Amino acid sequence: TRTPVNVTVTGAAGQIGYALLFRIASGHLLGADVPVRLRLLEIPQGLKAAEGTAMELDDCAFPLLQGIEITDDPNAGFDGANVALLVGARPRTKGMERGDLLEANGGIFKPQGKAINDHAADDIKVLVVGNPANTNALIAQAAAPDVPAERFTAMTRLDHNRALSQLAKKTGAQVSDIKKLTIWGNHSATQYPDIFHAEIAGKNAAEVVSDEQWLADDFIPTVAKRGAAIIEARGASSAASAANAAIDHVHDWVNGTAEGDWTSMGIPSDGSYGVPEGLISSFPVTTENGTYKIVQGLEINDFSRARIDASVQELAEERDAVRALGLI
Ligand code: NAI
């Protein structure tokens, strides 16, 4: 039998946590033969609700679930963690400036980064879901100098999956026919979903679509603003699809992408495609044996270049803002 993997989830009592924990415990995160031990990290006000969720996890009698611990202490929460899903964050409230938002999140992600640095397992993999995800990942990474920088990633997989679905709808294809789509940049309204290298049943997606106006005025804004559209329709944020994307992100990171395809992850830039080194930006990546590689050699046309640059510019501004606040 395999040794259990320790998975820590922050914000475990929240909406995404509720949609996420059951799928981790049922084997969708790591594999149907990998036992897991869950750590739920919450703030004191969230502990009671987390206990309720843990009661339900017990009641599922998941064969793979080998234990649940609940804590409000990051040092205990990340002790021995192999995978950390940082979901809990401070949302933007009315009238809040970006500086205030970044500072409030710095108060969460800096101590969590330090606790990961001091207590997590050597093979720790971190996915930041809580927004602003890319910059929160940067803050946590900066607080964890002993952990290899590339272990800190940010979630753009929900954007990737949304783009797949919109493209399938437009072309009448199945999502399973679409390969090599890319989200570039920040998980924000400036993100750039790129179909110029995507393939639909082996044909170039941009040529199949052959409608640049649809790309610019429909596809890109629909993907980028999908979160707001869900809130408008559902009266609540997109928790289940976000949880699903977190599962996909870690699953592919650990288990590898399919031959002839890639996925999108927010990862520390190595300078590829003109993205300044160190920014946590979304790239096309392939994964194998628990490591990822940026897909190299893609030709970037002017349409794409302008949009990638704009999103990367926003990331650079967020980095400069958290640097000025002393958070990195
Ligand atoms: P929620 O408000 O339902 O839950 C957040 C939970 O985090 C709460 O239970 C809260 O007590 C907890 N929390 C707050 N500070 C914490 C801390 N320091 N340590 C541990 N727990 C803490 O929010 P929801 O809907 O679950 O969303 C969580 C985050 O995910 C939000 O920041 C949201 O913007 C983000 N998100 C990101 C997406 C992406 O694609 N990257 C997609 C959808 C949501």
Side-chain angles (χ1 to χ4, degrees), residues 172-249:
Q174 300 298 318
V175 286
S176 56
D177 291 331
I178 305 177
K179 313 269 184 252
K180 301 184 178 176
L181 192 133
T182 306
I183 303 293
W184 298 92
N186 199 1
H187 169 69
S188 78
T190 67
Q191 65 172 270
Y192 171 51
D194 177 0
I195 70 163
F196 286 101
H197 307 98
E199 293 166 6
I200 304 177
K203 295 200 188 82
N204 180 273
E207 284 165 24
V208 172
V209 169
S210 191
D211 184 350
E212 199 165 291
Q213 198 181 350
W214 175 79
L215 263 192
D217 300 340
D218 195 334
F219 175 72
I220 295 170
T222 297
V223 172
K225 295 179 193 160
R226 185 73 165 175
I230 304 273
I231 292 174
E232 172 67 26
R234 211 173 80 85
S237 66
S238 45
S241 50
N244 178 67
I247 296 276
D248 285 351
H249 177 116

Side-chain angles (χ1 to χ4, degrees), residues 10-17 41-43 45-46 86-91 105 107-108 112 128-133 136 154-159 162 187 237-239 242 245:
T10 76
Q15 298 301 316
I16 294 175
L41 181 63
E42 259 293 347
I43 50 177
Q45 307 89 287
L86 309 190
V87 179
R90 173 73 163 80
N105 278 292
I108 297 173
Q112 288 183 357
V128 177
V129 174
N131 282 318
N136 287 341
M155 191 166 93
T156 54
R157 185 60 176 265
L158 179 54
D159 310 303
R162 285 168 171 166
H187 169 69
S237 66
S238 45

Side-chain angles (χ1 to χ4, degrees), residues 92-116:
R92 191 190 285 261
T93 38
K94 239 194 167 99
M96 205 177 193
E97 299 295 332
R98 182 166 72 177
D100 302 332
L101 180 75
L102 293 172
E103 189 157 31
N105 278 292
I108 297 173
F109 287 88
K110 198 173 172 179
Q112 288 183 357
K114 173 144 191 5
I116 288 169

Side-chain angles (χ1 to χ4, degrees), residues 212-283:
E212 199 165 291
Q213 198 181 350
W214 175 79
L215 263 192
D217 300 340
D218 195 334
F219 175 72
I220 295 170
T222 297
V223 172
K225 295 179 193 160
R226 185 73 165 175
I230 304 273
I231 292 174
E232 172 67 26
R234 211 173 80 85
S237 66
S238 45
S241 50
N244 178 67
I247 296 276
D248 285 351
H249 177 116
V250 174
H251 180 274
D252 287 358
W253 188 358
V254 171
N255 294 299
T257 42
E259 184 67 39
D261 199 2
W262 66 61
T263 187
S264 305
M265 290 169 66
I267 56 169
S269 176
D270 61 358
S272 294
Y273 296 102
V275 180
E277 199 177 335
L279 286 182
I280 297 192
S281 187
S282 189
F283 284 97

